[in-house]
Amino acid sequence: MDLEPDLLRTFVAFADSGSLARAAEAVGRTPSAVTAQVKRLEQVVGSRLLAPAGRGRVLTDTGLELLSIARDI
């Protein structure tokens, strides 16, 4: 599994901020680019990383596991 550092950085930015828009600001991208990066990461991992929660999104169990790995990398 090839986990690109740029995708992981964006994923961690989402986890830290709790928002795709704030993650976009943190990594200097648009919210749609952040969404595309998360989708690419989900394809690499083969599982959903975010789940809808009200008007936002939260990490799935797989997302929480990946977050631990991403922080180590």
Side-chain angles (χ1 to χ4, degrees):
M1 178 172 10
D2 183 24
L3 299 174
E4 296 176 39
D6 193 43
L7 298 179
L8 293 176
R9 191 175 305 110
T10 299
F11 179 69
V12 170
F14 168 80
D16 289 345
S17 69
S19 157
L20 290 170
R22 286 191 297 266
E25 289 177 22
V27 297
R29 299 192 184 281
T30 64
S32 61
V34 168
T35 299
Q37 285 190 312
V38 170
K39 286 183 182 190
R40 279 188 24 221
L41 191 56
E42 287 177 332
Q43 289 175 341
V44 170
V45 172
S47 184
R48 289 183 52 120
L49 302 174
L50 306 180
R55 293 186 55 167
R57 295 174 189 229
V58 295
L59 296 176
T60 62
D61 289 341
T62 303
L64 290 169
E65 289 177 33
L66 180 62
L67 181 59
S68 176
I69 295 166
R71 288 196 193 283
D72 288 343
I73 292 173

